[in-house]
Amino acid sequence: QVQLVESGGGLVTAGVSLRLSCTASGRTFSGYGMGWFRQAPGKEREFVTAISRSGDNSLYADAVKGRFTASRDNAKNTVYLQMNSLKPEDTAVYYCAATKEYGVPTSISLYVTWGQGTQVTVAS
């Protein structure tokens, strides 16, 4: 089973871009689909995006579609979340997670390994 470590969060102003990274330990990274989720204060954790094992398929929540892009580099055991045109409502702790399911699952329950999260704060 992989272990995941996120990085790249921070405090930014609205409209700018930020890229999150999630690096996995172990040799089986390409055997996992990857997802990004976020949790804002007082709210439930929600799906942001998922990317398939090979990276050729991805799915986005409506709130981030057209602004966020997921990608992965299996040679580097890393998945990325490029976030453009950030809004204050994007403020949350962002988590990457790994799933053994094929495709691009959106359900939290299908993800078996989670990172510790990285805080993204977008000031207006």
Side-chain angles (χ1 to χ4, degrees):
Q1 200 167 19
V2 296
Q3 293 183 322
L4 306 174
V5 178
E6 301 99 334
S7 61
L11 171 63
V12 297
T13 54
V16 304
S17 300
L18 202 60
R19 189 178 79 160
L20 306 183
S21 299
C22 172
T23 301
S25 63
R27 300 179 179 178
T28 59
F29 179 69
S30 60
Y32 290 86
M34 297 299 296
W36 287 96
F37 295 80
R38 66 186 183 184
Q39 188 166 18
K43 295 187 177 180
E44 294 186 352
R45 193 169 300 188
E46 64 177 6
F47 170 79
V48 175
T49 181
I51 186 167
S52 61
R53 298 181 181 201
S54 64
D56 60 356
N57 190 20
S58 57
L59 184 68
Y60 298 90
D62 287 345
V64 305
K65 198 173 297 182
R67 299 188 297 122
F68 290 13
T69 303
S71 61
R72 64 189 296 163
D73 185 338
N74 286 343
K76 295 182 178 180
N77 282 12
T78 301
V79 61
Y80 304 97
L81 181 63
Q82 178 67 41
M83 305 185 294
N84 298 330
S85 302
L86 282 162
K87 303 176 181 180
E89 51 263 45
D90 294 319
T91 295
V93 177
Y94 283 72
Y95 299 89
C96 68
T99 178
K100 291 298 287 181
E101 300 290 324
Y102 286 92
V104 285
T106 63
S107 174
I108 288 176
S109 64
L110 295 178
Y111 288 81
V112 297
T113 303
W114 292 79
Q116 83 287 352
T118 186
Q119 177 71 46
V120 173
T121 303
V122 184
S124 58

